[in-house]
Amino acid sequence: MPRTLGASASTVSLADTLAHVLALTTVFMALRAAVILLARCIRLLLGRGTADSHG
């Protein structure tokens, strides 16, 4: 397929590397969001961290 599009081997290699980096970044950000969401849910269930409970 790359030869059909006229892409050189270095371009294909660069695109492949970039795709892997973006995939790893996406996985990292999804895991980070899940951890933050889980922490907020735990705080909510334990009744901590709400502004109304301190006032």
Side-chain angles (χ1 to χ4, degrees):
M1 185 74 164
R3 287 185 186 248
T4 305
L5 298 174
S8 65
S10 60
T11 303
V12 173
S13 178
L14 181 66
D16 190 43
T17 302
L18 182 61
H20 283 101
V21 168
L22 290 174
L24 287 174
T25 302
T26 302
V27 169
F28 172 76
M29 291 180 73
L31 288 174
R32 183 175 178 262
V35 168
I36 290 171
L37 183 62
L38 183 63
R40 288 183 180 179
C41 288
I42 290 172
R43 264 191 252 148
L44 183 64
L45 289 174
L46 295 178
R48 298 181 188 169
T50 58
D52 295 336
S53 65
H54 298 292

